[in-house]
Structure formats: C-alpha cells, structure tokens
Amino acid sequence: MKTDDLINLLTNDSQVRVRFDRVFVSALTIGIMLSAVLLLVTIGIRKNMADAIETPRVIFKLCLTLLLAITATRLAFRIGKPGLSLRSATLMLLLPFVVLIGGIAMELLTVPQNAWATSMKGRFSIFCLFFVPVLSIAPLTAILYSVRQGAPENPGMAGAVAGLAAGGIAAAIYAWHCPDDSPLFLATWYSIGILLATATGFVLGRRILRW
C-alpha cells in the first residue's frame, strides 16, 4: 500500500469515528429525553419523592439503576467501534450486579423473614413490567440507530447490549416514579423488564445491524 493511500485510509477512519461519536451522543440524548417526557406526561414522578429520596432504599434504587444505565451504555458505545477492546467495559457490568447483591444481603438482614415475599412482590409489579420495556423503546431506537452507523462485529450481541443499556436507562427513569423500593423488588421485576428490553434488542440487532 502506498503511503498516500494509507494516510487517506486513516483519515477516513478517523472521520467515521468522530461522526459515530456525535451521532451516538445526539441520538442517545434525544432518546433519553423522549423517555423522560413519556414518564412525566403519563404517570409522573412519585408524589412524595422529595421525602422519599432521603431514605436509603430510594437512594440505593436510583444509584443502582443509574449505574447500570451508565455501564451498559458505555459498552454499547464501544461495541459500535470495531477494533476497540470490550474487556474493561464488559467487566464494568459486574459492578451493578455486585452492588445489587450487597443491597439484597442488607435487605435480608434488616427485614424479617416473613416479610421477604411481600417485599419482593411489591405493590406495582405489573406496572413495572409494563413501563420499563415501554420507556426503553426510545433509548433502544436511538442506540440501535447509532450503532448501525458504526460497524458492530456481532449484530446480535450489539443489539442485546443496546437493549440492556436501554433497559437500564428506562429503569433509571421509572425509578423516579416507582413506589416499591425494596432491593428484592428491584432484583425481580426490574430485572425482568430489563431482560425483556435486552431480548428485544438482540432480535432487532440481528436484523438491522448486519453489514
């Protein structure tokens, strides 16, 4: 390969990466805003949030869902760029899991055993199962659109990661409404909602992220 051809190739690659960065950030911002607005115009923020946000359970719920949203979105961003190592970003996904396990352990130690089932079931489990996937639609669309502008090496995995990120974002937004604060509820119903978004992303990714 001639030197001039190599320079042109590197330049074009750099332009594609810059364009992908801008598209990803812009589309994701729009997706998050649409999801937040959807929450506000339908069920709104929890009425007693000003007081509830001072309690350890609510702080834990908000921080955990935000942590998942950030770590999964970071992986989705990197997976759209072929050649980048995914190892560190993938390992970071263990962090929300470890934090959740710690929260569950604290819950089991502080809540009487006869109340565990009630804490896990909560009051609005069906609500959670509905709204987390629904609120993930806009972020998932944004991330899939962005990743499609890149070059994911594995469309199915890229779609699944996009779904996981969208599910995490949706969970972080829904947490501002959800009146069920137990880590046991989070581990059960939030996880199912996020898994539904992940599965949807996998199916869509295999179809629209091929190149």
Side-chain angles (χ1 to χ4, degrees):
M1 180 181 292
K2 295 182 180 180
T3 302
D4 291 342
D5 294 336
L6 177 60
I7 292 174
N8 290 333
L9 179 62
L10 293 175
T11 300
N12 291 335
D13 181 64
S14 177
Q15 291 174 347
V16 169
R17 288 176 181 271
V18 170
R19 182 176 182 275
F20 174 77
D21 294 354
R22 292 175 179 172
V23 169
F24 189 94
V25 172
S26 299
L28 182 62
T29 300
I30 294 173
I32 293 174
M33 290 177 62
L34 289 175
S35 185
V37 168
L38 179 60
L39 177 82
L40 292 175
V41 301
T42 53
I43 53 179
I45 295 177
R46 183 173 175 171
K47 292 182 180 180
N48 66 335
M49 180 56 84
D51 296 324
I53 200 171
E54 298 178 0
T55 62
R57 276 179 164 188
V58 173
I59 293 174
F60 177 82
K61 177 174 63 176
L62 295 176
C63 290
L64 176 63
T65 53
L66 182 60
L67 180 61
L68 174 62
I70 291 173
T71 53
T73 299
R74 179 172 179 263
L75 179 58
F77 176 76
R78 294 183 66 84
I79 212 169
K81 295 182 173 183
L84 291 184
S85 173
L86 303 178
R87 180 179 176 80
S88 62
T90 302
L91 289 176
M92 285 294 291
L93 284 178
L94 294 176
L95 187 56
F97 178 76
V98 171
V99 173
L100 177 60
I101 294 299
I104 292 173
M106 289 297 297
E107 183 82 350
L108 297 180
L109 289 173
T110 57
V111 174
Q113 186 173 354
N114 59 6
W116 289 355
T118 301
S119 296
M120 183 181 69
K121 183 179 180 181
R123 292 174 293 167
F124 299 99
S125 55
I126 302 300
F127 228 58
C128 179
L129 284 180
F130 175 77
F131 268 99
V132 170
V134 168
L135 292 175
S136 73
I137 293 175
L140 177 58
T141 302
I143 296 173
L144 287 176
Y145 170 78
S146 303
V147 173
R148 193 165 184 238
Q149 310 308 307
E153 298 175 359
N154 187 322
M157 184 177 71
V161 171
L164 178 62
I169 292 169
I173 293 173
Y174 177 69
W176 285 88
H177 167 84
C178 181
D180 292 303
D181 303 322
S182 171
L184 296 174
F185 184 90
L186 284 173
T188 305
W189 306 107
Y190 275 67
S191 295
I192 294 175
I194 292 169
L195 286 175
L196 289 174
T198 303
T200 301
F202 173 78
V203 173
L204 293 176
R206 292 187 65 182
R207 294 186 177 185
I208 68 177
L209 297 181
R210 294 176 180 175
W211 58 282

